[in-house]
Amino acid sequence: GAGVSQSPSNKVTEKGKDVELRCDPISGHTALYWYRQSLGQGLEFLIYFQGNSAPDKSGLPSDRFSAERTGGSVSTLTIQRTQQEDSAVYLCASSLATVGNTIYFGEGSWLTVV
Amino acid sequence: KQEVTQIPAALSVPEGENLVLNCSFTDSAIYNLQWFRQDPGKGLTSLLLIQSSQREQTSGRLNASLDKSSGRSTLYIAASQPGDSATYLCAVGNDYKLSFGAGTTVTVRA
């Protein structure tokens, strides 16, 4: 597609449920990133993929968070046993290589845990 | 750890006035600096990317400068318009990771 596509755009889930957030990067972009934007806080880095491998998972907040990327394209961020503090906007981004190139962000997945 | 600060946090100007947004960072060992725009309820739109070897970048009414040694960048928006109202975010790139400032929320009054 023309831009980074994320789904769902909005998700309301009950505490304790699992959620999956999907990201479809710009075609040909080898680098893919997940960031989180919480109310009143800045954007925080979660994870980075180069191809299908994730050299840096250091930003994942807890072991309830995991992410994978398949075929060097689509990525899924999974949050298990959601908690209210997981409520945030989850932003996916992609670039041709690493940060040396312009990074393009999707519209985000707005997650609300009730 | 890289710390990025943006001043002011909010700015309200009449249409036509020039905008000056400031960004400072603590670790000068950066690859690049990127300015983004975020509209309410939307993702981030890249405005300008300055590589660490560059001192400025220009696109239309936008000009961004970078002084890596002092850890500062400034985004200038000339002749502001109501459509420029948004939150502007500065992000410093260290290899693959971006460190973001909290943003400056700009309101341009018609």
Side-chain angles (χ1 to χ4, degrees), chain B:
Chain B
K1 179 188 172 186
Q2 181 74 269
E3 301 286 344
V4 182
T5 303
Q6 291 189 245
I7 294 172
L11 187 59
S12 179
V13 300
E15 182 176 4
E17 193 164 300
N18 296 332
L19 290 164
V20 180
L21 310 180
N22 297 298
C23 171
S24 62
F25 48 94
T26 54
D27 185 352
S28 61
I30 65 171
Y31 279 52
N32 54 47
L33 185 144
Q34 200 162 338
W35 283 93
F36 292 90
R37 168 185 173 139
Q38 186 173 33
D39 293 287
K42 300 289 186 181
L44 278 65
T45 301
S46 178
L47 297 175
L48 290 167
L49 169 68
I50 311 175
Q51 303 292 354
S52 62
S53 58
Q54 298 175 319
R55 293 196 63 86
E56 68 175 341
Q57 278 287 345
T58 298
S59 176
R61 295 184 294 110
L62 276 61
N63 174 277
S65 66
L66 173 63
D67 184 341
K68 206 172 74 161
S69 61
S70 67
R72 295 180 189 278
S73 177
T74 302
L75 177 66
Y76 300 89
I77 304 177
S80 61
Q81 304 169 357
D84 294 329
S85 298
T87 296
Y88 292 83
L89 294 158
C90 164
V92 174
N94 297 93
D95 194 5
Y96 55 83
K97 187 183 297 187
L98 289 177
S99 298
F100 282 86
T104 295
T105 299
V106 171
T107 302
V108 180
R109 308 186 302 271

